[in-house]
C-alpha cells in the first residue's frame, strides 16, 4: 500500500499556523513580487501567491512591467525595494525577457530580502554548509513534506533527476546536510534507470513524463516535482503515477504534492525574513 504525500493538507496546516502567528504581530510582513511581461503561467503563479499571502495576513505588492523594460530600469527598481524599510521580501518572477540577465537581476536583490534564496550570497552560504537567510522554496517544501511523513533521510540514497538552480542543486545540498547520500542526474546521464533503481528516495524535476514503474525499486519514496501540460492540455508530472504508485511506499501526486508546498515555503520564508528584520532592528 502506497501512502500519498499530501502537499495540500500540509500547506493548509502551515498556512493556518502562519495566520495565527501573524495575528499577534502589530506590523504585517510585505512580500513584493516583480512581474514582467504577459506570460500566462507567470501571471497565474503570481496571482496565486498574492491570494495566499493576503489570506494569512501578509501584505502582497505586485509591480508589473512590460516586456520592454530595460535592465537598468529593473536594476533601479530592485535598488529602491532593497532600501524600502516596508518591504521584507522580494521575488522576481522568472522567466525574464531575453534582453535581461537573470543572474545580474537576482544578484542585485539584498540577501536579507531574497525570499527565494537564489542570490549568490544565500546560495554560497547553503553550499558552504552555513545557514542562508532562507532556503529555496521548492527544496524546502519537499523536505517539509518528507518530514511530515517521518521519512528518514540519514544514510538513505536519494536520487534527484534535474540539476536546475531552483530545484536539483539546492536540494542536493539540503539532502547532504541531512546525511543522505545523493546522486544527481540530468539529460546527459547514461543508464538513468539503473541509477533510479538504486534510490531509496527518488525526486524527479525534469519537466518530462520519464519516470516509469520499471525504474523504481519497490518501497521507494517517490517525489514528483515536475508539472506541465501534455498535448491534450492535461496537467502532468514526471512520474507515471498510476503504475509507480503500485510499488512505491510513498508518492507525491501532481497536482497536490510539491506545488502547494512551494507556496507554503514562500510564505514561511516571507515571515522568516520579516522576523529576522524585526529582531535586528
Ligand atoms: P529546468 O531548469 O528545465 O531543469 C530540468 C532538469 O531536468 C535539467 O537539469 C535537465 O537536464 C533535466 N532533464 C530534462 N529532461 C531529462 C531527461 N529526459 N532525463 C534526465 N534529465 C532530464 O526545470 P526546473 O525549473 O528545474 O523545473 C523542472 C520541472 O519541475 C518543471 O516541470 C517545472 O514546472 C517543475 N517545477 C515545479 C515546481 C513546483 O512547485 N511544483 C517548482 C519548480 C519547478 P540538463 O541540465 O542536462 O538540461
Amino acid at each position: 500500500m502506497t501512502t500519498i504525500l499530501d502537499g495540500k493538507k500540509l500547506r493548509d496546516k502551515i498556512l493556518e499556523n502562519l495566520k495565527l502567528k501573524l495575528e499577534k504581530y502589530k506590523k504585517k510582513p510585505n512580500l513584493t513580487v516583480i512581474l514582467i511581461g504577459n506570460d500566462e503561467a507567470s501571471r497565474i503563479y503570481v496571482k496565486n501567491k498574492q491570494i495566499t499571502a493576503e489570506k494569512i495576513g501578509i501584505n502582497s505588492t505586485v509591480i508589473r512591467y512590460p516586456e520592454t523594460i530595460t535592465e537598468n530600469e529593473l536594476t533601479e527598481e530592485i535598488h529602491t525595494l532593497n532600501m524600502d524599510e516596508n518591504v521584507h521580501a522580494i521575488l522576481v518572477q522568472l522567466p525574464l525577457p531575453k534582453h535581461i540577465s537573470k543572474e545580474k537581476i537576482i544578484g542585485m536583490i539584498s540577501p536579507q530580502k531574497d525570499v527565494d534564496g537564489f542570490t549568490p550570497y544565500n546560495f554560497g552560504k547553503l553550499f558552504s554548509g552555513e545557514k542562508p537567510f532562507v532556503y529555496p522554496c521548492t527544496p524546502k517544501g519537499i523536505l517539509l513534506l518528507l518530514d511530515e511523513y517521518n521519512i528518514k533521510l540519514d544514510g538513505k540514497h536519494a536520487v534527484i533527476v534535474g540539476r536546475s538552480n531552483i530545484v536539483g542543486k539546492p536540494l542536493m545540498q539540503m539532502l547532504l546536510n541531512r546525511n543522505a547520500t545523493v546522486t544527481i542526474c540530468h539529460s546527459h546521464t547514461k543508464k538513468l534507470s539503473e541509477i533510479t533503481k538504486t534510490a531509496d528516495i527518488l525526486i524527479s524535476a525534469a519537466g518530462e513524463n520519464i519516470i516509469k514503474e520499471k525504474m523504481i525499486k519497490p518501497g521507494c519514496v517517490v517525489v514528483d516535482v515536475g508539472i506541465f501540460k501534455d498535448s491534450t492540455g492535461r496537467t502532468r508530472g514526471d512520474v507515471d503515477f498510476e503504475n509507480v504508485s503500485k510499488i512505491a511506499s510513498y508518492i507525491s501526486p501532481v497536482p497536490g504534492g510539491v506545488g502547494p508546498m512551494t507556496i507554503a515555503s514562500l510564505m514561511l520564508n516571507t515571515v522568516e525574513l520579516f522576523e529576522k528584520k524585526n529582531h535586528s532592528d
Side-chain angles (χ1 to χ4, degrees):
M1 265 290 281
T2 189
T3 301
I4 303 294
L5 297 167
D6 189 340
K8 272 193 196 165
K9 196 166 143 199
L10 180 55
R11 172 201 61 193
D12 291 347
K13 188 163 109 181
I14 290 170
L15 294 182
E16 186 54 31
N17 287 338
L18 282 177
K19 186 167 176 257
L20 294 174
K21 182 187 234 190
L22 291 175
E23 276 168 7
K24 298 196 185 102
Y25 290 148
K26 285 198 197 93
K27 240 177 115 182
K28 282 184 174 189
N30 173 279
L31 166 66
T32 294
V33 180
I34 300 182
L35 174 62
I36 299 167
N38 293 315
D39 180 64
E40 179 67 4
S42 295
R43 214 180 45 74
I44 294 169
Y45 289 142
V46 169
K47 187 82 199 149
N48 288 340
K49 287 168 187 170
Q50 193 173 24
I51 290 171
T52 308
E54 296 291 344
K55 252 193 217 162
I56 62 166
I58 292 174
N59 280 333
S60 160
T61 312
V62 179
I63 302 176
R64 292 184 174 78
Y65 282 110
E67 287 273 333
T68 50
I69 185 174
T70 65
E71 199 171 79
N72 276 349
E73 285 167 327
L74 190 53
T75 302
E76 274 171 34
E77 179 66 81
I78 290 173
H79 182 64
T80 307
L81 295 174
N82 283 343
M83 305 304 288
D84 187 339
E85 288 279 301
N86 296 313
V87 173
H88 305 98
I90 302 170
L91 185 153
V92 178
Q93 184 65 42
L94 301 175
L96 294 176
K98 287 199 175 65
H99 63 279
I100 295 177
S101 156
K102 181 177 80 183
E103 289 72 24
K104 183 171 174 191
I105 294 304
I106 300 288
M108 276 288 304
I109 300 172
S110 160
Q112 287 94 332
K113 297 189 179 189
D114 168 25
V115 73
D116 270 328
F118 288 165
T119 57
Y121 178 91
N122 282 323
F123 232 58
K125 283 275 181 190
L126 174 63
F127 279 88
S128 63
E130 292 177 61
K131 271 196 168 177
F133 280 100
V134 290
Y135 291 90
C137 296
T138 301
K140 174 174 175 152
I142 292 168
L143 293 194
L144 287 171
L145 192 56
L146 295 174
D147 287 344
E148 178 71 6
Y149 288 83
N150 290 317
I151 293 164
K152 300 282 170 272
L153 303 172
D154 198 312
K156 297 288 172 63
H157 183 207
V159 174
I160 304 170
V161 182
R163 56 175 163 178
S164 71
N165 283 348
I166 66 168
V167 189
K169 279 190 210 145
L171 181 61
M172 172 188 74
Q173 186 58 45
M174 288 161 76
L175 286 165
L176 285 175
N177 290 350
R178 300 280 300 269
N179 296 324
T181 301
V182 187
T183 303
I184 189 155
C185 305
H186 46 78
S187 68
H188 295 248
T189 298
K190 304 257 188 296
K191 300 186 176 159
L192 181 64
S193 46
E194 285 185 17
I195 299 170
T196 57
K197 258 194 239 162
T198 66
D200 301 310
I201 300 166
L202 175 67
I203 303 163
S204 188
E208 289 177 30
N209 193 252
I210 51 171
I211 306 297
K212 310 291 177 202
E213 188 184 350
K214 62 180 189 326
M215 300 167 76
I216 306 288
K217 176 170 78 174
C220 179
V221 175
V222 180
V223 177
D224 192 349
V225 185
I227 184 158
F228 51 90
K229 298 265 186 225
D230 69 12
S231 52
T232 66
R234 201 179 121 205
T235 300
R236 301 289 301 270
D238 287 4
V239 177
D240 173 5
F241 183 89
E242 197 186 329
N243 292 310
V244 171
S245 60
K246 289 177 190 155
I247 57 165
S249 55
Y250 295 84
I251 187 166
S252 74
V254 176
V258 175
M261 291 308 301
T262 299
I263 291 253
S265 301
L266 178 67
M267 300 303 137
L268 282 168
N269 282 357
T270 302
V271 175
E272 279 174 36
L273 293 177
F274 169 73
E275 288 176 332
K276 280 180 185 152
K277 160 84 174 58
N278 287 351
H279 279 300
S280 66
D281 279 350

